[in-house]
Amino acid sequence: MDLVPALEEPLRQPLKSVLGPATAKVMAEHLGLLTVGDLLHHYPRRYEERGQLTQLADLPMDEHVTVVAQVADARLHTFASAKAPRGKGQRLEVTITDGSGRLQLVFFGAGVHKPHKELLPGTRAMFAGKVSVFNRRLQLAHPAYELLRGDPEESVETWAGALIPIYPATAKLESWKIGKAIQTVLPTAQEAVDPLPDGLREGRGLVPLPEALLKIHRPHTKADIEDARSRLKWDEAFVLQVALARRRHADAQLPAVAREPSPDGLLTAFDARLPFTLTEGQQRVSREIFADLATEHPMHRLLQGEVGSGKTMVALRAMLAVVDAGGQAAMLAPTEVLAQQHHRSIVEMMGELAEGGMLGGAEQATKVVLLTGSMGTAARRQALLDLTTGEAGIVIGTHALIEDKVQFHDLGLVVVDEQHRFGVEQRDALRGKGKQPPHLLVMTATPIPRTVAMTVFGDLETSVLDQLPAGRSPIASHVVPAADKPHFLARAWERVREEVENGHQAYVVCPRIGDEEDDPKKTGRKKPQESLEDAAEKRPPLAVLDVAEHLAKGPLQGLRVEVLHGRMHPDDKDAVMRRFAAGETDVLVATTVIEVGVNVPNATAMVIMDADRFGVSQLHQLRGRVGRGSAPGLCLLVTEMPEASAARQRLNAVASTLDGFELSRIDLEQRREGDVLGQAQSGARTSLKVLAVIEDEEIIAEARQEATAVVTADPELTHLPALRTALDALLDEEREQYLEKG
């Protein structure tokens, strides 16, 4: 028997290459496809039907596309240029159509001869290239193309029937070349090992894996594609949920110290001090957390709630419960500004209960210390000592908490604020500081749809705070089209003045700092899906320093304008935030350092410049900084993008709803899922190819149930070797570590 199973055969090897070495190299470097199995799991993005032409009307800017269309006309022009001064330069302009729209193809120089002969009016072909704009019209410059011949035999042979698969491709390797490579290796699909247990597959009427691979790459009917996709979605959902179920099962075996608050301890004293009652949601979530803390294996809980729903209060009560039970609690914040703010607000909320060991401290009091990278040596030494001796029950800090020097007396609970800003390694290092694994509470203000929580955070139990505390005000949001209607922008600055005249304050947010360390080449580039118009794309994003100067000298002259950004010295940042919080500054021009956790109830207006450069969830987070008091909030999204652009549609969506869960769905649909096992952090390819986290909610929920049952019955998967193999393939070393640490 061959030592290397057929599907693990490398595409590129010295003696017996499955594909040509050049093709195999491009596949490895640009598509991450290394083996025959990888290539078989590179599924078509969509299919073209012979009798139906692609929608040219909705082509995405700056993306590599493949279209099937018909040549409407082709014209050869001559022109003079530096290289061809005598008017001998040649340009071939070909117009293609599909009934929904027209698209221009352009070829120059020596590249015109072949297409001039082949692309005659009436010819049908597949075209691949990058969509750009010239003279306000969409075009493909020098696209690769493959003629679709009229010969029925050749069509059937080359394109396998009436449905033409269109593969995710790159500029270096067109879709049809990938299709030909897949046809070469398709016979080996018969040897694919099926990871689904027979009972599960038969019970749900799913086709076997080899059949699914044949049908997805060489479908004869649309029903074939449906059969294949249903089966392959189940594979992805089930194998992923088995990985997460095994993680949960392993966690349940770990020992942890049960932490139960004492009846007359710190928590009771704290609750008695509260000037308000907790919302029903806060009480419910607190009960869930306290039940977890009372068990002898580590809590792994995700606490998600809208901006301002009172997550910090819930987390603080959990920390106090652990201190009551003799342990220590650490809160990890993503920035120094946020760590300092959490420290200030927690000390204020606790009052004399935060003055343990000090004169005037309450009897049950503990010490609350701050630990950040920029602290002075003496303060840092004292904080470290308080942690080692156990004098400090609560510590709030940045990643400085993770350093080797930091030792705890008895770490019982780790609270991570805004999980998406922390690397997995950082969380793991902090968890490793307990004598036994501490309990873990992860907080996020980014609303996460239920299915994403079941996949991205599948090893965490989820609690949701969906009630806002009484007294929070509504936020009105409007898009300000600065290019189309400049007077709207002038009116925006008038609105800021009006808010200040009424005794309130405002934020102005910009995507860039604008000091000499910035590289305009880098910062001026936008993400591919946001590069929607050449003019707006070429302009570097607006910068804090430039905008602040312009406002102070122009539209907001006479108001007290200050700046805040990530490269300022931490003491300066803190001083700026203190002045703003105290009402000594009218307008704060800042980068997204204010995105998370900054709480100034008197700030009622926010103007976000170049709003199209931010993601949907980020805009929602930023907007949550206003309307935190009794006065209504106002958020103005300034953009130069034209009305028809996708960027404007995204901004309209943000302006139309305050429902973070709805926006997170929109955001996810636009960004696609990335790798649900955290590979987005390292830029590696996604592990989801056909499963859509939003659309396939039912499959994911069912797969989670099935996976839990399978793992409970056979945690090591001893009786399911094929599933174990599929799991090993999914959990390469990096992903395995992600789950280990997650």
Side-chain angles (χ1 to χ4, degrees):
M1 187 185 154
D2 193 343
L3 290 174
V4 180
L7 268 65
E8 289 172 32
E9 195 85 57
L11 292 173
R12 180 182 171 199
Q13 57 184 1
L15 298 174
K16 165 181 110 167
S17 190
V18 177
L19 302 175
T23 306
K25 183 171 188 249
V26 173
M27 284 189 171
E29 289 176 4
H30 294 273
L31 295 169
L33 306 175
L34 305 174
T35 65
V36 170
D38 290 344
L39 185 52
L40 286 174
H41 287 292
H42 188 72
Y43 309 131
R45 179 176 282 161
R46 57 190 171 82
Y47 300 85
E48 285 298 347
E49 291 181 76
R50 289 214 165 278
Q52 199 180 43
L53 293 160
T54 317
Q55 295 291 303
L56 291 181
D58 322 314
L59 287 179
M61 272 294 296
D62 259 8
E63 279 196 23
H64 204 82
V65 298
T66 302
V67 296
V68 175
Q70 187 165 322
V71 176
D73 68 57
R75 296 180 188 186
L76 190 63
H77 302 273
T78 55
F79 60 90
S81 70
K83 287 184 182 172
R86 294 185 187 168
K88 292 197 175 165
Q90 290 190 307
R91 180 174 79 249
L92 176 66
E93 291 178 0
V94 178
T95 304
I96 59 173
T97 179
D98 67 349
S100 77
R102 296 165 83 82
L103 179 66
Q104 187 165 293
L105 317 178
V106 189
F107 301 86
F108 290 102
V112 304
H113 304 307
K114 186 168 176 273
H116 190 216
K117 276 190 278 186
E118 294 183 335
L119 298 178
L120 304 172
T123 306
R124 302 208 37 230
M126 297 173 81
F127 301 93
K130 194 175 183 183
V131 183
S132 57
V133 168
F134 183 72
N135 281 346
R136 296 199 160 273
R137 287 171 66 195
L138 292 181
Q139 69 168 30
L140 296 182
H142 282 284
Y145 62 88
E146 177 92 348
L147 301 178
L148 295 176
R149 315 265 178 204
D151 181 290
E153 283 306 306
E154 183 180 282
S155 294
V156 167
E157 198 174 290
T158 313
W159 301 110
L163 293 159
I164 303 169
I166 306 290
Y167 289 94
T170 75
K172 304 258 180 180
L173 197 66
E174 293 85 22
S175 167
W176 54 86
K177 288 186 182 167
I178 295 170
K180 285 176 180 173
I182 286 172
Q183 296 304 325
T184 308
V185 300
L186 201 51
T188 56
Q190 296 299 341
E191 298 177 46
V193 180
D194 201 322
L196 291 191
D198 292 346
L200 190 160
R201 184 170 57 73
E202 288 157 13
R204 295 186 176 274
L206 300 168
V207 300
L209 181 58
E211 187 182 329
L213 290 171
L214 283 170
K215 283 183 168 177
I216 198 129
H217 292 298
R218 194 183 275 170
H220 294 294
T221 62
K222 287 184 175 175
D224 283 352
I225 299 169
E226 274 314 298
D227 284 352
R229 288 178 67 82
S230 300
R231 163 61 216 247
L232 295 167
K233 281 182 178 192
W234 253 96
D235 275 18
E236 287 181 5
F238 180 69
V239 175
L240 177 58
Q241 290 301 337
V242 167
L244 294 163
R246 292 186 74 213
R247 177 75 259 132
R248 290 194 300 276
H249 184 269
D251 283 341
Q253 315 308 310
L254 287 174
V257 180
R259 312 279 180 175
E260 290 192 61
S262 47
D264 301 315
L266 194 53
L267 181 61
T268 308
F270 175 75
D271 284 349
R273 284 178 51 91
L274 284 179
F276 52 82
T277 47
L278 299 173
T279 65
E280 276 175 42
Q282 285 174 317
Q283 292 177 31
R284 172 179 46 77
V285 170
S286 288
R287 283 195 296 275
E288 291 169 358
I289 291 170
F290 290 157
D292 283 357
L293 291 174
T295 62
E296 292 188 349
H297 59 84
M299 167 172 81
H300 288 91
R301 189 166 283 278
L302 172 70
L303 171 56
Q304 53 168 320
E306 285 283 15
V307 171
S309 57
K311 293 183 300 298
T312 310
M313 173 60 71
V314 169
L316 175 55
R317 294 184 74 243
M319 294 197 286
L320 294 174
V322 168
V323 175
D324 257 357
Q328 290 170 294
M331 181 185 260
L332 199 55
T335 64
E336 293 212 352
V337 167
L338 191 52
Q340 286 162 342
Q341 181 155 319
H342 273 321
H343 181 254
R344 263 201 306 279
S345 62
I346 283 173
V347 167
E348 278 167 22
M349 282 195 277
M350 287 176 64
E352 72 268 18
L353 297 175
E355 295 170 359
M358 291 183 246
L359 206 60
E363 190 184 336
Q364 302 99 328
T366 187
K367 209 169 187 179
V368 180
V369 300
L370 176 69
L371 191 64
T372 63
S374 64
M375 283 170 71
T377 314
R380 187 179 173 76
R381 192 180 295 130
Q382 185 59 52
L384 290 170
L385 184 65
D386 289 342
L387 287 179
T388 312
T389 59
E391 185 92 0
I394 295 176
V395 57
I396 293 135
T398 55
H399 55 268
L401 278 177
I402 294 162
E403 291 170 12
D404 292 343
K405 282 183 222 157
V406 182
Q407 299 295 325
F408 289 85
H409 176 66
D410 180 13
L411 181 60
L413 171 66
V414 174
V415 179
V416 179
D417 194 15
E418 288 308 319
Q419 186 273 344
H420 64 283
R421 292 165 170 262
F422 276 101
V424 171
E425 291 76 13
Q426 294 168 308
R427 281 213 320 265
D428 187 46
L430 191 53
R431 282 208 327 216
K433 289 186 177 291
K435 290 170 186 167
Q436 285 189 316
H439 298 281
L440 176 69
L441 180 65
V442 171
M443 298 198 295
T444 178
T446 307
I448 302 163
R450 174 172 165 260
T451 45
V452 183
M454 282 195 291
T455 46
V456 183
F457 299 107
D459 56 339
L460 300 178
E461 297 300 324
T462 304
S463 294
V464 179
L465 274 177
D466 46 15
Q467 245 180 320
L468 289 187
R472 287 301 296 266
S473 303
I475 304 168
S477 304
H478 304 283
V479 177
V480 178
D484 312 354
K485 298 175 179 167
H487 59 287
F488 275 38
L489 183 59
R491 175 70 187 123
W493 301 127
E494 285 173 19
R495 283 291 290 110
V496 169
R497 277 192 169 280
E498 287 164 14
E499 290 298 312
V500 173
E501 281 161 15
N502 290 332
H504 298 301
Q505 292 158 279
Y507 298 101
V508 176
V509 181
C510 305
R512 194 165 67 97
I513 297 171
D515 56 17
E516 69 290 337
E517 289 179 51
D518 266 338
D519 178 354
K521 284 181 191 154
K522 283 185 192 165
T523 48
R525 296 299 304 162
K526 302 201 295 182
K527 292 177 186 168
Q529 74 265 32
E530 292 177 337
S531 303
L532 286 153
E533 291 292 316
D534 45 356
E537 186 216 294
K538 283 171 188 162
R539 174 177 66 68
L542 291 170
V544 166
L545 301 178
D546 303 338
V547 169
E549 187 179 358
H550 164 71
L551 293 176
K553 290 179 179 172
L556 303 183
Q557 193 170 5
L559 301 188
R560 297 167 297 177
V561 177
E562 285 209 60
V563 300
L564 179 71
H565 59 75
R567 274 208 283 271
M568 290 167 65
H569 187 278
D571 291 349
D572 296 340
K573 277 194 277 197
D574 199 37
V576 168
M577 273 316 300
R578 280 176 188 274
R579 284 196 292 277
F580 190 65
E584 294 163 21
T585 305
D586 299 320
V587 179
L588 187 62
V589 184
T591 56
T592 54
V593 291
I594 61 149
E595 177 187 349
V596 177
V598 171
N599 184 22
V600 180
N602 192 45
T604 53
M606 175 177 284
V607 181
I608 302 178
M609 307 302 291
D610 278 344
D612 49 274
R613 311 263 173 142
F614 299 97
V616 170
S617 294
Q618 198 172 28
L619 291 169
H620 182 59
Q621 287 275 5
L622 285 165
R623 170 171 63 184
R625 301 300 114 218
V626 296
R628 299 179 76 85
S630 52
L634 172 70
C635 179
L636 302 175
L637 306 166
V638 179
T639 179
E640 290 190 1
M641 287 299 178
E643 197 162 353
S645 65
R648 272 285 281 282
Q649 289 163 15
R650 214 169 60 241
L651 296 181
N652 291 340
V654 174
S656 69
T657 179
L658 291 172
D659 181 343
F661 284 92
E662 177 56 30
L663 286 174
S664 71
R665 289 180 79 94
I666 293 167
D667 193 24
L668 196 71
E669 280 160 9
Q670 290 187 338
R671 284 186 299 119
R672 304 202 171 87
E673 284 83 8
D675 190 327
V676 296
L677 284 186
Q679 288 303 85
Q681 291 182 16
S682 62
R685 62 180 190 218
T686 175
S687 65
L688 293 190
K689 298 186 177 73
V690 284
L691 189 72
V693 172
I694 290 289
E695 293 159 27
D696 298 321
E697 181 166 344
E698 205 173 301
I699 293 176
I700 291 168
E702 289 174 16
R704 183 179 167 106
Q705 282 182 337
E706 295 272 14
T708 305
V710 164
V711 171
T712 305
D714 182 6
E716 294 305 314
L717 308 179
T718 315
H719 304 296
L720 297 166
L723 175 56
R724 178 78 237 197
T725 304
L727 202 60
D728 291 341
L730 174 74
L731 300 180
D732 54 34
E733 197 176 333
E734 202 169 355
R735 291 196 181 101
E736 184 74 77
Q737 285 174 356
Y738 177 83
L739 285 179
E740 285 294 330
K741 295 169 181 177

